[in-house]
PDB file of all heavy atoms in Angstrom:
ATOM      1  N   THR A 272      -1.233  16.977  11.018  1.00  0.00           N
ATOM      2  CA  THR A 272      -0.588  18.204  11.528  1.00  0.00           C
ATOM      3  C   THR A 272      -0.803  18.387  12.999  1.00  0.00           C
ATOM      4  O   THR A 272      -1.770  17.677  13.559  1.00  0.00           O
ATOM      5  CB  THR A 272      -1.158  19.436  10.846  1.00  0.00           C
ATOM      6  OG1 THR A 272      -2.580  19.552  11.028  1.00  0.00           O
ATOM      7  CG2 THR A 272      -0.901  19.415   9.334  1.00  0.00           C
ATOM      8  N   LYS A 273       0.038  19.168  13.669  1.00  0.00           N
ATOM      9  CA  LYS A 273      -0.172  19.353  15.044  1.00  0.00           C
ATOM     10  C   LYS A 273      -0.528  20.856  15.221  1.00  0.00           C
ATOM     11  O   LYS A 273       0.166  21.756  14.643  1.00  0.00           O
ATOM     12  CB  LYS A 273       1.142  19.040  15.826  1.00  0.00           C
ATOM     13  CG  LYS A 273       1.428  17.587  15.972  1.00  0.00           C
ATOM     14  CD  LYS A 273       2.380  17.256  17.015  1.00  0.00           C
ATOM     15  CE  LYS A 273       2.932  15.843  16.994  1.00  0.00           C
ATOM     16  NZ  LYS A 273       4.094  15.752  16.100  1.00  0.00           N
ATOM     17  N   ASN A 274      -1.503  21.073  15.972  1.00  0.00           N
ATOM     18  CA  ASN A 274      -1.930  22.383  16.276  1.00  0.00           C
ATOM     19  C   ASN A 274      -2.404  22.556  17.711  1.00  0.00           C
ATOM     20  O   ASN A 274      -3.270  21.879  18.172  1.00  0.00           O
ATOM     21  CB  ASN A 274      -3.153  22.718  15.266  1.00  0.00           C
ATOM     22  CG  ASN A 274      -3.401  24.212  15.241  1.00  0.00           C
ATOM     23  OD1 ASN A 274      -2.808  25.024  15.892  1.00  0.00           O
ATOM     24  ND2 ASN A 274      -4.344  24.617  14.326  1.00  0.00           N
ATOM     25  N   ARG A 275      -1.681  23.376  18.506  1.00  0.00           N
ATOM     26  CA  ARG A 275      -2.009  23.549  19.920  1.00  0.00           C
ATOM     27  C   ARG A 275      -2.105  22.272  20.641  1.00  0.00           C
ATOM     28  O   ARG A 275      -3.139  22.072  21.300  1.00  0.00           O
ATOM     29  CB  ARG A 275      -3.357  24.429  20.114  1.00  0.00           C
ATOM     30  CG  ARG A 275      -3.092  25.808  19.657  1.00  0.00           C
ATOM     31  CD  ARG A 275      -4.324  26.624  19.921  1.00  0.00           C
ATOM     32  NE  ARG A 275      -4.480  27.760  19.089  1.00  0.00           N
ATOM     33  CZ  ARG A 275      -5.636  28.424  18.787  1.00  0.00           C
ATOM     34  NH1 ARG A 275      -6.693  27.968  19.446  1.00  0.00           N
ATOM     35  NH2 ARG A 275      -5.683  29.397  18.041  1.00  0.00           N
ATOM     36  N   GLY A 276      -1.209  21.432  20.487  1.00  0.00           N
ATOM     37  CA  GLY A 276      -1.115  20.185  21.194  1.00  0.00           C
ATOM     38  C   GLY A 276      -2.117  19.085  20.649  1.00  0.00           C
ATOM     39  O   GLY A 276      -2.212  18.022  21.221  1.00  0.00           O
ATOM     40  N   MET A 277      -2.832  19.439  19.590  1.00  0.00           N
ATOM     41  CA  MET A 277      -3.751  18.460  19.007  1.00  0.00           C
ATOM     42  C   MET A 277      -3.323  17.947  17.680  1.00  0.00           C
ATOM     43  O   MET A 277      -2.779  18.709  16.851  1.00  0.00           O
ATOM     44  CB  MET A 277      -5.123  19.089  18.801  1.00  0.00           C
ATOM     45  CG  MET A 277      -5.877  19.490  20.091  1.00  0.00           C
ATOM     46  SD  MET A 277      -6.642  18.072  20.814  1.00  0.00           S
ATOM     47  CE  MET A 277      -7.934  17.733  19.633  1.00  0.00           C
ATOM     48  N   ILE A 278      -3.454  16.650  17.461  1.00  0.00           N
ATOM     49  CA  ILE A 278      -3.118  16.167  16.110  1.00  0.00           C
ATOM     50  C   ILE A 278      -4.386  16.267  15.181  1.00  0.00           C
ATOM     51  O   ILE A 278      -5.485  15.789  15.571  1.00  0.00           O
ATOM     52  CB  ILE A 278      -2.693  14.736  16.153  1.00  0.00           C
ATOM     53  CG1 ILE A 278      -1.337  14.595  16.820  1.00  0.00           C
ATOM     54  CG2 ILE A 278      -2.611  14.000  14.740  1.00  0.00           C
ATOM     55  CD1 ILE A 278      -0.767  13.185  17.002  1.00  0.00           C
ATOM     56  N   ASN A 279      -4.271  16.911  14.072  1.00  0.00           N
ATOM     57  CA  ASN A 279      -5.340  17.026  13.118  1.00  0.00           C
ATOM     58  C   ASN A 279      -5.060  16.130  11.929  1.00  0.00           C
ATOM     59  O   ASN A 279      -3.942  16.131  11.410  1.00  0.00           O
ATOM     60  CB  ASN A 279      -5.530  18.426  12.641  1.00  0.00           C
ATOM     61  CG  ASN A 279      -5.998  19.289  13.775  1.00  0.00           C
ATOM     62  OD1 ASN A 279      -6.843  18.970  14.551  1.00  0.00           O
ATOM     63  ND2 ASN A 279      -5.506  20.547  13.786  1.00  0.00           N
ATOM     64  N   ARG A 280      -6.095  15.347  11.476  1.00  0.00           N
ATOM     65  CA  ARG A 280      -5.913  14.491  10.398  1.00  0.00           C
ATOM     66  C   ARG A 280      -6.825  14.915   9.243  1.00  0.00           C
ATOM     67  O   ARG A 280      -7.942  15.393   9.499  1.00  0.00           O
ATOM     68  CB  ARG A 280      -6.254  13.068  10.795  1.00  0.00           C
ATOM     69  CG  ARG A 280      -5.391  12.464  11.832  1.00  0.00           C
ATOM     70  CD  ARG A 280      -5.863  11.045  12.245  1.00  0.00           C
ATOM     71  NE  ARG A 280      -5.010  10.581  13.368  1.00  0.00           N
ATOM     72  CZ  ARG A 280      -3.803  10.087  13.161  1.00  0.00           C
ATOM     73  NH1 ARG A 280      -3.292  10.051  12.012  1.00  0.00           N
ATOM     74  NH2 ARG A 280      -3.173   9.609  14.265  1.00  0.00           N
ATOM     75  N   GLY A 281      -6.384  14.698   8.052  1.00  0.00           N
ATOM     76  CA  GLY A 281      -7.236  15.026   6.856  1.00  0.00           C
ATOM     77  C   GLY A 281      -6.955  14.112   5.679  1.00  0.00           C
ATOM     78  O   GLY A 281      -5.921  13.368   5.645  1.00  0.00           O
ATOM     79  N   VAL A 282      -7.724  14.285   4.630  1.00  0.00           N
ATOM     80  CA  VAL A 282      -7.464  13.564   3.365  1.00  0.00           C
ATOM     81  C   VAL A 282      -7.887  14.494   2.207  1.00  0.00           C
ATOM     82  O   VAL A 282      -8.871  15.266   2.362  1.00  0.00           O
ATOM     83  CB  VAL A 282      -8.272  12.268   3.342  1.00  0.00           C
ATOM     84  CG1 VAL A 282      -9.825  12.438   3.359  1.00  0.00           C
ATOM     85  CG2 VAL A 282      -7.960  11.386   2.139  1.00  0.00           C
ATOM     86  N   SER A 283      -7.065  14.417   1.187  1.00  0.00           N
ATOM     87  CA  SER A 283      -7.410  15.140   0.009  1.00  0.00           C
ATOM     88  C   SER A 283      -7.111  14.343  -1.313  1.00  0.00           C
ATOM     89  O   SER A 283      -6.263  13.387  -1.237  1.00  0.00           O
ATOM     90  CB  SER A 283      -6.562  16.445  -0.077  1.00  0.00           C
ATOM     91  OG  SER A 283      -5.152  16.208  -0.096  1.00  0.00           O
ATOM     92  N   ILE A 284      -7.696  14.694  -2.256  1.00  0.00           N
ATOM     93  CA  ILE A 284      -7.510  14.023  -3.574  1.00  0.00           C
ATOM     94  C   ILE A 284      -6.599  15.001  -4.444  1.00  0.00           C
ATOM     95  O   ILE A 284      -7.081  16.082  -4.686  1.00  0.00           O
ATOM     96  CB  ILE A 284      -8.799  13.797  -4.410  1.00  0.00           C
ATOM     97  CG1 ILE A 284      -9.834  13.071  -3.463  1.00  0.00           C
ATOM     98  CG2 ILE A 284      -8.500  12.889  -5.681  1.00  0.00           C
ATOM     99  CD1 ILE A 284      -9.393  11.817  -2.861  1.00  0.00           C
ATOM    100  N   GLU A 285      -5.395  14.620  -4.659  1.00  0.00           N
ATOM    101  CA  GLU A 285      -4.453  15.533  -5.368  1.00  0.00           C
ATOM    102  C   GLU A 285      -4.628  15.495  -6.877  1.00  0.00           C
ATOM    103  O   GLU A 285      -4.469  16.397  -7.559  1.00  0.00           O
ATOM    104  CB  GLU A 285      -3.005  15.196  -4.967  1.00  0.00           C
ATOM    105  CG  GLU A 285      -2.741  15.331  -3.434  1.00  0.00           C
ATOM    106  CD  GLU A 285      -2.792  16.764  -3.020  1.00  0.00           C
ATOM    107  OE1 GLU A 285      -2.264  17.758  -3.710  1.00  0.00           O
ATOM    108  OE2 GLU A 285      -3.486  17.099  -1.920  1.00  0.00           O
ATOM    109  N   LYS A 286      -4.925  14.201  -7.355  1.00  0.00           N
ATOM    110  CA  LYS A 286      -5.211  14.109  -8.733  1.00  0.00           C
ATOM    111  C   LYS A 286      -6.014  12.803  -8.960  1.00  0.00           C
ATOM    112  O   LYS A 286      -5.966  11.887  -8.089  1.00  0.00           O
ATOM    113  CB  LYS A 286      -4.001  14.029  -9.643  1.00  0.00           C
ATOM    114  CG  LYS A 286      -3.132  12.773  -9.578  1.00  0.00           C
ATOM    115  CD  LYS A 286      -2.115  12.762 -10.618  1.00  0.00           C
ATOM    116  CE  LYS A 286      -1.194  11.554 -10.440  1.00  0.00           C
ATOM    117  NZ  LYS A 286       0.025  11.508 -11.305  1.00  0.00           N
ATOM    118  N   LEU A 287      -6.827  12.776  -9.968  1.00  0.00           N
ATOM    119  CA  LEU A 287      -7.574  11.572 -10.301  1.00  0.00           C
ATOM    120  C   LEU A 287      -7.938  11.632 -11.787  1.00  0.00           C
ATOM    121  O   LEU A 287      -8.878  12.312 -12.213  1.00  0.00           O
ATOM    122  CB  LEU A 287      -8.892  11.507  -9.418  1.00  0.00           C
ATOM    123  CG  LEU A 287      -9.640  10.167  -9.557  1.00  0.00           C
ATOM    124  CD1 LEU A 287      -8.782   8.981  -9.048  1.00  0.00           C
ATOM    125  CD2 LEU A 287     -10.928  10.295  -8.700  1.00  0.00           C
ATOM    126  N   ARG A 288      -7.120  10.939 -12.625  1.00  0.00           N
ATOM    127  CA  ARG A 288      -7.347  11.046 -14.051  1.00  0.00           C
ATOM    128  C   ARG A 288      -8.673  10.419 -14.414  1.00  0.00           C
ATOM    129  O   ARG A 288      -9.147   9.388 -13.869  1.00  0.00           O
ATOM    130  CB  ARG A 288      -6.222  10.170 -14.782  1.00  0.00           C
ATOM    131  CG  ARG A 288      -4.894  10.633 -14.476  1.00  0.00           C
ATOM    132  CD  ARG A 288      -4.302  11.454 -15.615  1.00  0.00           C
ATOM    133  NE  ARG A 288      -3.188  12.318 -15.165  1.00  0.00           N
ATOM    134  CZ  ARG A 288      -1.915  11.870 -15.110  1.00  0.00           C
ATOM    135  NH1 ARG A 288      -1.667  10.574 -15.289  1.00  0.00           N
ATOM    136  NH2 ARG A 288      -1.018  12.649 -14.622  1.00  0.00           N
ATOM    137  N   GLY A 289      -9.373  11.114 -15.303  1.00  0.00           N
ATOM    138  CA  GLY A 289     -10.608  10.571 -15.861  1.00  0.00           C
ATOM    139  C   GLY A 289     -11.856  10.746 -14.914  1.00  0.00           C
ATOM    140  O   GLY A 289     -12.812  10.094 -15.148  1.00  0.00           O
ATOM    141  N   SER A 290     -11.677  11.536 -13.884  1.00  0.00           N
ATOM    142  CA  SER A 290     -12.767  11.720 -13.011  1.00  0.00           C
ATOM    143  C   SER A 290     -12.829  13.046 -12.329  1.00  0.00           C
ATOM    144  O   SER A 290     -11.777  13.708 -12.089  1.00  0.00           O
ATOM    145  CB  SER A 290     -12.770  10.613 -11.911  1.00  0.00           C
ATOM    146  OG  SER A 290     -13.731  10.879 -10.968  1.00  0.00           O
ATOM    147  N   ASP A 291     -13.966  13.467 -11.999  1.00  0.00           N
ATOM    148  CA  ASP A 291     -14.219  14.692 -11.178  1.00  0.00           C
ATOM    149  C   ASP A 291     -13.985  14.268  -9.733  1.00  0.00           C
ATOM    150  O   ASP A 291     -14.149  13.098  -9.441  1.00  0.00           O
ATOM    151  CB  ASP A 291     -15.722  15.046 -11.488  1.00  0.00           C
ATOM    152  CG  ASP A 291     -16.172  16.119 -10.612  1.00  0.00           C
ATOM    153  OD1 ASP A 291     -15.372  17.030 -10.298  1.00  0.00           O
ATOM    154  OD2 ASP A 291     -17.372  16.202 -10.293  1.00  0.00           O
ATOM    155  N   PHE A 292     -13.646  15.178  -8.901  1.00  0.00           N
ATOM    156  CA  PHE A 292     -13.472  14.851  -7.456  1.00  0.00           C
ATOM    157  C   PHE A 292     -13.616  16.048  -6.542  1.00  0.00           C
ATOM    158  O   PHE A 292     -13.597  17.204  -7.015  1.00  0.00           O
ATOM    159  CB  PHE A 292     -12.141  14.201  -7.195  1.00  0.00           C
ATOM    160  CG  PHE A 292     -10.902  14.981  -7.616  1.00  0.00           C
ATOM    161  CD1 PHE A 292     -10.313  15.942  -6.811  1.00  0.00           C
ATOM    162  CD2 PHE A 292     -10.362  14.780  -8.875  1.00  0.00           C
ATOM    163  CE1 PHE A 292      -9.267  16.592  -7.230  1.00  0.00           C
ATOM    164  CE2 PHE A 292      -9.242  15.536  -9.277  1.00  0.00           C
ATOM    165  CZ  PHE A 292      -8.645  16.439  -8.437  1.00  0.00           C
ATOM    166  N   ASP A 293     -13.822  15.772  -5.293  1.00  0.00           N
ATOM    167  CA  ASP A 293     -13.970  16.820  -4.254  1.00  0.00           C
ATOM    168  C   ASP A 293     -12.581  17.431  -4.023  1.00  0.00           C
ATOM    169  O   ASP A 293     -11.604  16.794  -3.726  1.00  0.00           O
ATOM    170  CB  ASP A 293     -14.444  16.075  -2.926  1.00  0.00           C
ATOM    171  CG  ASP A 293     -14.619  17.117  -1.807  1.00  0.00           C
ATOM    172  OD1 ASP A 293     -14.250  18.255  -1.914  1.00  0.00           O
ATOM    173  OD2 ASP A 293     -15.170  16.600  -0.800  1.00  0.00           O
ATOM    174  N   GLU A 294     -12.501  18.777  -4.234  1.00  0.00           N
ATOM    175  CA  GLU A 294     -11.184  19.403  -4.170  1.00  0.00           C
ATOM    176  C   GLU A 294     -10.925  20.055  -2.822  1.00  0.00           C
ATOM    177  O   GLU A 294      -9.939  20.675  -2.619  1.00  0.00           O
ATOM    178  CB  GLU A 294     -11.143  20.464  -5.238  1.00  0.00           C
ATOM    179  CG  GLU A 294     -11.185  19.844  -6.643  1.00  0.00           C
ATOM    180  CD  GLU A 294     -10.740  20.838  -7.787  1.00  0.00           C
ATOM    181  OE1 GLU A 294     -10.714  21.999  -7.536  1.00  0.00           O
ATOM    182  OE2 GLU A 294     -10.452  20.248  -8.856  1.00  0.00           O
TER     183      GLU A 294
END
Side-chain angles (χ1 to χ4, degrees):
T272 57
K273 287 197 192 93
N274 197 354
R275 292 187 206 158
M277 292 282 291
I278 291 176
N279 292 322
R280 298 176 183 283
V282 65
S283 61
I284 312 302
E285 299 293 317
K286 73 170 174 187
L287 189 61
R288 300 261 159 80
S290 176
D291 175 31
F292 57 85
D293 181 352
E294 296 197 342

